[in-house]
Every structure is written in structure tokens, then in C-alpha cells.
Amino acid sequence: MKDIFSYLSGGKENSILHKLIRILLGSNLIIIFVLGIIAFYGLVSALHQAEEMGQSIGNTSYQDSSQLLVRQRGEELLYIARYNAKIIQLVIDGEGYDSINNSMEKLRDVIDDIHLSNSGFCFALNKQGKVVLSSQARAYEAGDALELAVDMKDDIRESDSASLARIAKEMCLGHSGVQLVFIDKKAYYVAYTPIENTGWSVATVFEKNQVIAPIEENRDNIYALTKDKLADMKGHIILISIFMVAVLLMLLFFVIYEGKKLSKRFVASILKLADSVREISKKAVIGSLSVSGELPKGDKKLFDGSFSNRVDIRTGDEIEELANCFNIMTEELEGYMDTLVSETAEKERIATELTLAQDIQMGVLPHKFPPFPEHTEFSLYASMESAKEVGGDFYDFYMVDEHRLAVTIADVSGKGVGAAMFMAISKTILKNLLLTGKNMTLADLVTHANNQLKEDNTARMFVTAFIGILDIRTGLFEFVNGGHNPSLIYEKEKGAFRYLDVESNFVLAGRKNISYVSQSTILKPGDSLFLYTDGVTEAMNNKDELYGEERLLSQLNCSKNADEPQSLLEEIGKSVAAFVGDAEQSDDITMLALTYFGPVGEK
């Protein structure tokens, strides 16, 4: 029985379903319920069959029932009297056929032995259609009322009754059968059969009413009996139905009562567990907001940092298992919150340091514009937008002497704090060499800078740089491109930007003792330079499309601010931002624009 319980409840002996099945089977209620259903079905089936039988009897028609009431089988003549049925078999010995007189005597004996009802009689007919023998002779004693109104001495085939004449002809022809005839508006059944070896035919006649009356009487008796039985059965069915309803109601009340007892115990445990879950959830939310700094100061007292809530439920079923899981979750959550607090504090410290580093980095870069208001020979503007708190890009510009302006734009490999530190080192080394190495060519200065950056570069970082010096008296612009993107020059005479043709020098800090090649070009009054890092051309949108050098060149040529460095950089910045859209910025975006107005200092 225990296995049955376990099977029905899915193998969980302490489940609610297991307990409910045990209660039902233990109280035999299921067995009573099944037996009641079987008894109810049997009574309904019997009632249905009795009703069909009564209806079938009540609907029986006797208007054309000759084959039902009287039928012939071989030489046996079967007819139905008021209370019984008899089989008449005409037996004539073979010796009797030698003499008609002997046959007549035997036939008369047979007919006399037949006991018919008051209105029935037998007669024998020869081939000429005349009655040779009849049992009506006995009827004369009882009166004429029992005689058939037919002259038996004449040829019956010529009778005024067409139906009787037709039967006589059939008898003369040696046929047999049962037919309904009407004589003087009365209905009779005539059963006839031939007598072998004589050519005669014998018939039995019954009045129709005498034949059907017993059956109708029996039908009425059966119908009345059936009606009484149906009434008794209906009474029993009603009693059984009432009993079944009472049993079902008792079973229902019992189940409801037991269900309430079980539900009180389970619901109380579930409510207790739900309250604990709400309390823990509230503390988790408040704790998260408190850790992230989003919790208002007035609400910080709501969180004490404790997740000590535990639920003690001992029901021995799934609810107890759920409560144990909840307690384990609470312990893990408490540990998680402790870790979160410590990690958040560490992140806040790092964020503070990165913010400070960003301020320091931006302070290192020139940020005062216009940078040299006393020099009207040129106009200059630069900008940098870091992908992270600190970046690896940098720009720089300063006066080497009274007549020469140095400009630099560079991109350090990598991101973050390491790149920012290497950027500061690169910027310092390049500036120191350009300011102190007045007797050296620009190519030599870049070579020395490469060797210094390569020293002790265990991180194997490198930097791409574009370094140029503009003589503001002549417009001569000498530059070295150390693996950086090609810069663009705006030629006022042509009214368009184009990319500078640059030598493919190696990056700085990549390898020692590399010889760098310098190049030069002449800037005419109104000409401009546009320097940038790959964060501009490699800006990517949500479709993984790059901004690209061609788009940059097209945007510059569409601008009307070629001689306005600040407006030009703001316009390009907006174009890049519109192209990128919602995509995350993947690299630092640094730009520098320089417009040369000539030695006279006039635009």
C-alpha cells in the first residue's frame, strides 16, 4: 500500500498529494463512491430497457398480422386460439388412399378431434370447389349465430365473397397459405393446405377478433405489469440517487474540512516564508542603493547591513525544503552584500583616483585658447575626448623660439592608466628635445626621442606621432610622421583639403636606433592644417561601419570654416557623433587645427 501511495503522489511520501490520497483510501470513501456509481449505472440501464420493452409492446400493430398469428410449416397448420396454439397435422395412412370412403372417415375423425373456439370451424374442399366435409355440423346445435354465412353445398369458387372465392381457387390448385377474407363485412383468417394423393384441400377458419383479442389482452396485461415495474424501479432509483447524493455531500464536506485543516498549516508556513522574502528583498534593494550611493541620506538608517533573517519551518514537505533554500540564499546574500560593499568601496576609490588622473592629464595638455594672443600670424585650436576616464592620445603645441611653432599629435597603444602614463612620458620627452635641441634637425630629435622611449619599456608600449615645426615668418612647415595617420592641408588657392604625402616612418618606442625622415611644405596665407588620431576615422556605428578617411575629407571640404580652427573642430566632432549614434565610443578622439595667416599677422 505504501508503494501505491508513493506511485500516486509521484514518489514524494511527504507531499500534500500523498497525504490526501492516504486520507481518501484510509476512509474507504473512494470504494463507496465507485460502488455507488456502478449501482446507479445498473439501475438506469434496467429502467431504460424496461421502457423500451413497454414502448415496443404498446406500439405493436395487428392490422396485417396474418403471418404473425397463423403460419404454415410443411404439412403442419398452426393457428392461435384464445388461450393456446395447436398444430394440426393431417395424417392419412397409405392404405386409406385406396378408398375414398376410408379417407373420408379418417378425415372426419381428424376434424372432429379439433377443438376450435366458438366461431372457428374446419372444412375440406374437393377439386370441384365443393365442401366435402365440415365441422360446422356441430355448430347447428348451438344456433345459426356460429355459422359462416356461405352455402357450403355450392361451388365456393363462385361465392359472392371475392376473397373467399379467391381462397377456394387457391385450394383447388393445391396451394397452401394463410389469408384474410371478408364475408358479410366480417373479417376471418383462413389457413389452408392440400391433402396429398386425394387432390383435396383442408382449411381452418377463425374470426379475426377471436384471434387478435387474446394478444391484445396479453399486451395490455404486459403493459400494465411493465408500468408497475417501472414505477417500482423509479422509486428505487430515486432512493438510491438520494443516498448517493447524501454520500457525495458527506464526502465533499469531509474533503473540505480536511482541506481547510491542511491549508491552514501550509498557508501559515507560506505566509511566514513570504514575509521573510519581502523583508530580505527590501533590505537587498536598500542595501544596493546604499552601496551605490543612490540612497538619500535620510533613508540610510533603514539599512543596517544585516541579513540575519532565517525561517524555521518544520512541515516535512516541499515547503520545509523551500524554507531551507531560502535560509541558504539569505546566507549567500549576506556574503554577497559584504563583498559588494568592499568592492564598491574599492571601485569608488579607483574612480576617484581616475578622476584625479583625468584632471591631471587634462591639466598637462594645453587648454587655453587662443594660446598665443600676441601672435597674429596663426590661429590654433585642439580638443581631446577620451573613451575612458584617462586616454592615451595627446596633443601639444608651444613656441620653440620667437619664430617657430611646434605642434604634436600622438596616439599611445592601449587604453587606461598605463596608456595615460606613457602618454605623459612621451609628451615630456618630445617637448624637452624640441626645446633643447636647437642645433639638431627635426629627424634627429625624433630619433633621440624614440631611443629614450624604448629604454626600459618593459610593457612594450609604443606611440604613433605627427610632429611639425612651423616658421611663422616664411610659412615653412617641417614635419616627421612616426607611423601616424596622414594629416590634411587646406590650400586656399584651390579651396579644398587634401591629404599630405608622408613617409612611412616607424612608430616611436617600437625599436631602437631607427632613422626617421623629415618632410616639409610651404603654407601660404590662408592655408590650414588638420591633425587627428585614428579615433576619428575608426569611429564605428551600430552597423559596424567606420567613419573613414574619405568621409573625413568630404566633411572637411563641405565645411565653410576652414580658416576657423575652433569652428572646424566642433563641426567635425558633431559629424562623428552623428555618425556613431548610440554606439559606444571605442577610442580616444583627438583633433588639432592650425590656420596660417602670414607674417604680417593679418587674415
Side-chain angles (χ1 to χ4, degrees):
M1 184 62 73
K2 181 178 180 181
D3 295 337
I4 295 176
F5 293 155
S6 300
Y7 176 76
L8 294 176
S9 59
K12 298 183 178 180
E13 297 186 0
N14 292 324
S15 64
I16 298 174
L17 179 59
H18 179 272
K19 294 179 178 179
L20 185 59
I21 292 173
R22 182 178 293 276
I23 291 172
L24 293 177
L25 290 179
S27 58
N28 294 326
L29 291 178
I30 291 181
I31 298 175
I32 295 173
F33 181 71
V34 172
L35 292 178
I37 291 177
I38 295 173
F40 180 76
Y41 176 78
L43 289 174
V44 172
S45 178
L47 176 61
H48 179 70
Q49 293 179 1
E51 288 181 348
E52 287 185 349
M53 180 179 70
Q55 184 178 5
S56 174
I57 294 172
N59 293 336
T60 304
S61 175
Y62 297 97
Q63 293 181 0
D64 188 14
S65 57
S66 60
Q67 293 299 323
L68 176 65
L69 301 177
V70 183
R71 69 180 182 273
Q72 178 182 350
R73 293 184 301 189
E75 294 184 356
E76 296 180 353
L77 184 64
L78 176 66
Y79 70 96
I80 298 177
R82 178 176 299 272
Y83 298 109
N84 58 358
K86 295 182 179 179
I87 298 177
I88 302 174
Q89 184 174 12
L90 301 179
V91 181
I92 300 179
D93 295 337
E95 298 176 356
Y97 295 122
D98 297 333
S99 171
I100 293 179
N101 292 329
N102 292 335
S103 298
M104 288 291 291
E105 290 298 329
K106 291 183 179 182
L107 183 59
R108 183 179 292 108
D109 293 339
V110 171
I111 291 177
D112 289 341
D113 289 338
I114 297 176
H115 300 284
L116 302 175
S117 60
N118 294 333
S119 62
F121 66 94
C122 296
F123 67 92
L125 197 68
N126 60 15
K127 292 183 178 181
Q128 287 74 34
K130 292 184 179 183
V131 176
V132 296
L133 191 64
S134 174
S135 65
Q136 275 193 315
R138 294 178 301 167
Y140 296 146
E141 301 173 358
D144 296 336
L146 297 179
E147 291 189 35
L148 184 65
V150 176
D151 188 356
M152 293 294 185
K153 297 179 180 181
D154 296 331
D155 188 349
I156 300 178
R157 292 177 295 180
E158 298 177 359
S159 173
D160 295 336
S161 173
S163 57
L164 182 60
R166 183 176 65 254
I167 290 175
K169 293 178 181 179
E170 292 288 328
M171 293 176 67
C172 291
L173 293 175
H175 297 166
S176 61
V178 178
Q179 294 190 25
L180 182 66
V181 300
F182 293 91
I183 303 174
D184 294 338
K185 299 181 179 180
K186 285 186 178 182
Y188 297 88
Y189 278 113
V190 179
Y192 53 92
T193 186
I195 302 174
E196 293 183 0
N197 301 325
T198 63
W200 294 355
S201 181
V202 64
T204 303
V205 182
F206 301 95
E207 189 175 348
K208 179 181 179 182
N209 293 335
Q210 295 296 324
V211 174
I212 295 178
I215 295 178
E216 291 181 345
E217 182 178 353
N218 290 336
R219 181 195 64 185
D220 295 337
N221 293 334
I222 294 174
Y223 182 78
L225 180 61
T226 303
K227 186 176 181 181
D228 294 339
K229 293 297 182 181
L230 289 176
D232 293 339
M233 292 176 65
K234 288 182 179 178
H236 286 86
I237 290 173
I238 293 174
L239 292 177
I240 293 175
S241 300
I242 294 174
F243 173 76
M244 291 300 299
V245 170
V247 171
L248 291 176
L249 288 176
M250 292 175 61
L251 177 61
L252 179 61
F253 289 148
F254 176 77
V255 171
I256 292 175
Y257 174 75
E258 291 295 329
K260 285 185 176 181
K261 288 176 59 179
L262 292 174
S263 65
K264 285 182 180 179
R265 186 177 65 178
F266 297 141
V267 169
S269 300
I270 292 174
L271 290 177
K272 184 177 180 181
L273 182 60
D275 291 338
S276 299
V277 170
R278 280 193 292 268
E279 184 66 23
I280 289 296
S281 299
K282 180 179 178 181
K283 286 189 175 183
V285 172
I286 295 176
S288 299
L289 294 176
S290 177
V291 169
S292 62
E294 300 178 9
L295 188 67
K297 294 182 179 180
D299 295 336
K300 288 186 177 181
K301 59 183 180 180
L302 297 175
F303 178 65
D304 57 0
S306 174
F307 289 89
S308 58
N309 295 60
R310 299 293 185 271
V311 181
D312 185 15
I313 297 177
R314 302 183 183 278
T315 57
D317 52 20
E318 291 84 351
I319 298 179
E320 181 179 348
E321 184 177 352
L322 181 60
N324 294 334
C325 293
F326 171 79
N327 293 332
I328 295 173
M329 180 199 71
T330 304
E331 294 176 1
E332 293 178 351
L333 182 60
E334 188 172 9
Y336 167 77
M337 289 302 298
D338 292 339
T339 304
L340 180 62
V341 170
S342 60
E343 290 182 353
T344 302
E346 180 67 17
K347 288 182 179 179
E348 288 181 352
R349 183 185 66 79
I350 295 174
T352 301
E353 293 180 358
L354 289 175
T355 301
L356 179 61
Q358 185 181 31
D359 294 340
I360 294 174
Q361 183 184 33
M362 297 307 296
V364 171
L365 299 178
H367 55 277
K368 181 181 178 182
F369 299 99
F372 309 107
E374 69 277 9
H375 288 283
T376 59
E377 295 89 352
F378 61 88
S379 176
L380 185 148
Y381 190 80
S383 66
M384 186 184 77
E385 182 178 353
S386 300
K388 295 186 176 181
E389 289 81 358
V390 290
D393 286 6
F394 72 91
Y395 63 85
D396 201 2
F397 52 84
Y398 42 87
M399 296 298 297
V400 177
D401 53 36
E402 294 181 356
H403 308 294
R404 293 188 300 166
L405 171 68
V407 293
T408 303
I409 191 165
D411 183 4
V412 177
S413 61
K415 302 289 185 297
V417 177
M421 293 179 65
F422 198 75
M423 176 272 290
I425 295 172
S426 301
K427 177 180 177 299
T428 302
I429 291 175
L430 285 171
K431 186 174 183 179
N432 288 340
L433 287 173
L434 289 175
L435 290 176
T436 58
K438 296 181 179 179
N439 298 325
M440 299 174 63
T441 64
L442 180 60
D444 292 337
L445 292 173
V446 175
T447 299
H448 279 76
N450 172 66
N451 290 334
Q452 291 185 26
L453 290 172
K454 181 60 179 174
E455 289 289 343
D456 300 325
N457 184 12
T458 57
R460 295 187 179 183
M461 301 184 74
F462 62 88
V463 57
T464 65
F466 183 89
I467 306 147
I469 297 178
L470 173 64
D471 191 332
I472 60 177
R473 297 170 301 180
T474 62
L476 176 64
F477 182 69
E478 185 181 8
F479 60 91
V480 173
N481 184 45
H484 199 73
N485 304 80
S487 299
L488 295 102
I489 182 172
Y490 174 76
E491 297 172 328
K492 186 175 182 180
E493 292 180 354
K494 297 180 180 180
F497 279 89
R498 67 175 177 84
Y499 282 99
L500 285 172
D501 294 329
V502 296
E503 292 287 340
S504 299
N505 292 308
F506 199 63
V507 298
L508 279 68
R511 195 170 59 200
K512 269 190 175 184
N513 301 322
I514 296 177
S515 297
Y516 288 86
V517 178
S518 65
Q519 298 170 265
S520 63
T521 185
I522 299 295
L523 295 180
K524 297 178 181 180
D527 289 355
S528 299
L529 290 171
F530 181 81
L531 286 63
Y532 64 97
T533 60
D534 57 4
V536 176
T537 54
E538 293 180 4
M540 186 177 295
N541 60 14
N542 289 325
K543 299 180 181 178
D544 295 337
E545 298 173 339
L546 298 177
Y547 189 78
E549 295 180 351
E550 293 183 2
R551 194 185 306 273
L552 175 61
L553 178 61
S554 175
Q555 185 64 36
L556 288 171
N557 285 327
C558 292
S559 175
K560 297 180 180 179
N561 299 311
D563 58 351
E564 294 288 342
Q566 182 175 353
S567 299
L568 180 64
L569 263 59
E570 291 175 351
E571 183 178 344
I572 297 301
K574 291 179 180 179
S575 174
V576 173
F579 174 79
V580 172
D582 297 333
E584 184 180 1
Q585 181 181 344
S586 59
D587 201 357
D588 302 334
I589 297 176
T590 305
M591 297 179 288
L592 185 148
L594 169 68
T595 300
Y596 178 65
F597 297 120
V600 295
E602 298 179 358
K603 293 183 182 181

